[in-house]
Amino acid sequence: MIMNFTNKQILRIIFLFYFSISFSQIAKSDSLRGEFIYLLKYKPNTLNENYIRKELFSLQIGDNRAFFISENKLKIDSVFSSAYNNKAENFVLDFTNIPTGSNFLIIQTNEHSQFYETVGMSLLSYNSYIIDNWKLIDENKVINSITCKKAEVHYKGRDWTAWYATEIPFPYGPYKFSGLPGLIVKITDKTGDYDFELVKSISSSNVKGKMITINKRHYQNAKLVTKKELVEARKNFRENSKHQLESMGTVFSQDPKDNFRERQKVNEAQKKGHNPIELED
């Protein structure tokens, strides 16, 4: 039987089996002390300054650690969980209204931040040091009705300006940013290529008595690697996944405009202008 798939369907096909055997594993060991939603706006490619991507992330704070994860990733978990709990024989997993999101989880503690990412069928992880070279600045600003203080830091090749709220006494923030005497409400790099801003917070009364329910398949039993090794694994997976599916009889849809040379040009342009959040290892 010959199957026809578009490129966007590839990853969902490969991950389907992995999700189906692990999505029911939920960790409930952390009491939920705070939940905050951040909007990330960023420019993925410097050759197209007008193209800005947007994505929502959830920061769930427990007693001793905080979890930072894409809202789209949580929605996918919810779809699988619902299908599993209903135990329908011929259930349909509908991802139509769930855009592809960032495929990572970051767990912050007072000692370090741990980065997790599923690459193919493997869960990989690397450790990052806590940011301890913040420069606190005597300047205040009100952002979304929250009084904030200013701080600056140079991190992984970018200069960042953060605004944090001492009235929200959590030393965490979006991505790997933590270590300030209050929750980070907004943080932007000097070029304006990356910007995180708090857009929603769950009231303390609504989190009281609740637990963090991040699916433990996102971080349990991960293989510890270096950041360089994870990036290399990600690259190899992308290059090999199509060949593996073709060997199984998959035929990829062909757009008349999407010929080999044009794809090469696009890929080369993307590589030249690739604009990661971390510019240094």
Side-chain angles (χ1 to χ4, degrees):
M1 180 179 180
I2 295 178
M3 299 174 287
N4 290 275
F5 298 98
T6 62
N7 288 335
K8 286 186 178 181
Q9 292 172 309
I10 298 173
L11 293 180
R12 291 181 179 181
I13 296 169
I14 292 175
F15 290 141
L16 180 59
F17 176 73
Y18 174 75
F19 284 155
S20 67
I21 63 175
S22 60
F23 67 85
S24 62
Q25 301 175 358
I26 301 293
K28 296 186 177 181
S29 58
D30 294 81
S31 297
L32 183 64
R33 296 183 58 201
E35 184 174 1
F36 305 90
I37 306 300
Y38 289 86
L39 174 63
L40 166 63
K41 294 186 288 186
Y42 69 104
K43 300 174 183 178
N45 195 287
T46 57
L47 299 182
N48 188 353
E49 288 287 329
N50 296 322
Y51 178 49
I52 298 175
R53 283 185 182 175
K54 298 179 181 180
E55 186 173 359
L56 291 172
F57 287 84
S58 172
L59 178 67
Q60 298 183 31
I61 299 175
D63 294 326
N64 300 303
R65 56 182 179 173
F67 296 74
F68 185 74
I69 191 169
S70 167
E71 281 279 282
N72 291 328
K73 201 171 179 70
L74 293 178
K75 289 177 182 178
I76 290 174
D77 282 349
S78 179
V79 170
F80 274 103
S81 179
S82 178
Y84 177 82
N85 292 332
N86 291 333
K87 298 188 183 300
E89 292 183 4
N90 297 309
F91 62 83
V92 176
L93 298 174
D94 184 8
F95 298 102
T96 305
N97 297 317
I98 304 178
T100 301
S102 297
N103 186 38
F104 67 80
L105 163 71
I106 295 172
I107 299 180
Q108 301 175 7
T109 69
N110 291 329
E111 291 76 35
H112 65 272
S113 66
Q114 197 77 22
F115 184 98
Y116 299 85
E117 183 175 337
T118 300
V119 181
M121 301 294 287
S122 301
L123 179 61
L124 306 179
S125 176
Y126 69 86
N127 198 348
S128 295
Y129 63 83
I130 285 295
I131 301 173
D132 59 3
N133 57 330
W134 291 101
K135 179 181 178 182
L136 304 185
I137 298 173
D138 186 18
E139 186 176 336
N140 297 329
K141 185 178 182 179
V142 177
I143 301 175
N144 297 330
S145 302
I146 303 172
T147 300
C148 303
K149 294 181 177 295
K150 187 178 182 179
E152 295 179 342
V153 70
H154 180 82
Y155 182 72
K156 300 293 185 179
R158 292 184 184 272
D159 293 313
W160 295 87
T161 298
W163 295 93
Y164 64 97
T166 55
E167 64 185 70
I168 309 176
F170 295 120
Y172 303 112
Y175 193 59
K176 300 176 183 177
F177 298 107
S178 63
L180 285 170
L183 184 78
I184 295 175
V185 173
K186 184 178 179 67
I187 183 165
T188 309
D189 88 298
K190 187 177 181 179
T191 65
D193 287 353
Y194 282 83
D195 176 86
F196 293 93
E197 183 170 341
L198 179 66
V199 293
K200 182 181 179 181
S201 60
I202 310 302
S203 66
S204 57
S205 60
N206 287 335
V207 301
K208 187 176 181 180
K210 293 186 178 181
M211 311 296 287
I212 290 176
T213 55
I214 301 292
N215 194 301
K216 65 183 181 182
R217 69 174 173 81
H218 295 312
Y219 61 90
Q220 190 175 61
N221 300 320
K223 179 182 178 181
L224 188 63
V225 297
T226 64
K227 179 186 175 184
K228 183 178 179 180
E229 288 172 333
L230 189 147
V231 171
E232 187 65 25
R234 187 191 298 153
K235 177 183 176 183
N236 291 338
F237 170 70
R238 288 173 178 171
E239 291 176 349
N240 294 333
S241 59
K242 182 176 179 180
H243 297 298
Q244 292 173 351
L245 286 173
E246 286 176 333
S247 68
M248 297 166 58
T250 304
V251 176
F252 294 90
S253 302
Q254 294 295 325
D255 187 323
K257 298 179 181 179
D258 187 22
N259 57 59
F260 178 73
R261 288 185 178 178
E262 288 300 317
R263 289 200 304 273
Q264 274 193 321
K265 291 179 181 179
V266 172
N267 290 337
E268 286 303 316
Q270 290 176 339
K271 289 178 182 178
K272 289 179 181 178
H274 181 49
N275 190 29
I277 189 170
E278 296 182 13
L279 299 176
E280 299 173 352
D281 292 333

